[in-house]
Amino acid sequence: MKKATFEVIIRIMMGSEIDPKWLDRVEKVYTIYSHGFMALPINLTGFAYHRAFKARANLDDISVIDERKVMNMRDKSRAKCNMVDLIMCIEDEEGKRLSDEEIIDLLIVYAFAGHETTAHTTAWAIIYLEQHPEFLQKAKEEQEEIVKRRLHSDNNLSYDEI
């Protein structure tokens, strides 16, 4: 990924107050991760897939999630003006928020979506839905409800319905 493109994607997600050293480190780790994501799934030392697992662990270590939590707790009136802050505020029906790891995974998906093809994003969505059957079931129910409310009998979903 070109450095300028990566920087634009990260600035969209994080806002403008980014330490250039942090950005360089994240870009290097993300590049290793993205190469491994597209490699053969051989989890042995020396293979890109194995390096991707190590890089993913490093993304946890260099995350800004903790910093944002402290900042948001210190100043509750602070405007939630970037993607990280907004994702941290997401709650499910029971008021449960995403874990730090889930937030990082979501940001990785957005970085891929901002640079990689739709196919990669779709693959991540499928993996996520496979790992969380309750969300897959909810998505199916939502789509079935859309089909039931239609006036016409076509069973295929339109782009607007999706």
Side-chain angles (χ1 to χ4, degrees), residues 99-162:
S99 69
D100 291 358
E101 187 171 296
E102 289 169 325
I103 292 170
I104 293 167
D105 286 339
L106 196 52
L107 293 172
I108 291 169
V109 170
Y110 287 145
F112 267 92
H115 189 266
E116 304 297 334
T117 67
T118 303
H120 289 126
T121 305
T122 303
W124 273 101
I126 291 168
I127 290 167
Y128 186 79
L129 290 172
E130 192 274 329
Q131 291 176 347
H132 300 280
E134 67 276 15
F135 296 127
L136 176 60
Q137 183 59 37
K138 187 172 182 176
K140 284 180 182 179
E141 290 168 3
E142 288 175 3
Q143 297 304 305
E144 288 167 358
E145 187 60 37
I146 289 169
V147 172
K148 286 179 189 173
R149 283 188 267 134
R150 283 200 196 137
L151 298 176
H152 56 85
S153 62
D154 187 9
N155 286 334
N156 296 323
L157 293 171
S158 70
Y159 180 76
D160 289 336
E161 290 170 327
I162 293 172

Side-chain angles (χ1 to χ4, degrees), residues 1-10 13 26-28 30-32 34-35 38 108 110-116:
M1 177 183 313
K2 291 183 180 176
K3 186 172 182 84
T5 305
F6 183 79
E7 186 170 346
V8 168
I9 293 166
I10 296 299
M13 291 191 294
V26 170
E27 186 218 359
K28 287 175 186 164
Y30 176 82
T31 300
I32 293 166
S34 65
H35 286 288
M38 294 180 257
I108 291 169
Y110 287 145
F112 267 92
H115 189 266
E116 304 297 334

Side-chain angles (χ1 to χ4, degrees), residues 11 15-26 64 67:
R11 287 193 187 279
S16 59
E17 73 249 15
I18 298 175
D19 179 356
K21 289 179 183 177
W22 178 88
L23 184 64
D24 287 343
R25 188 170 171 209
V26 170
V64 295
E67 176 187 319

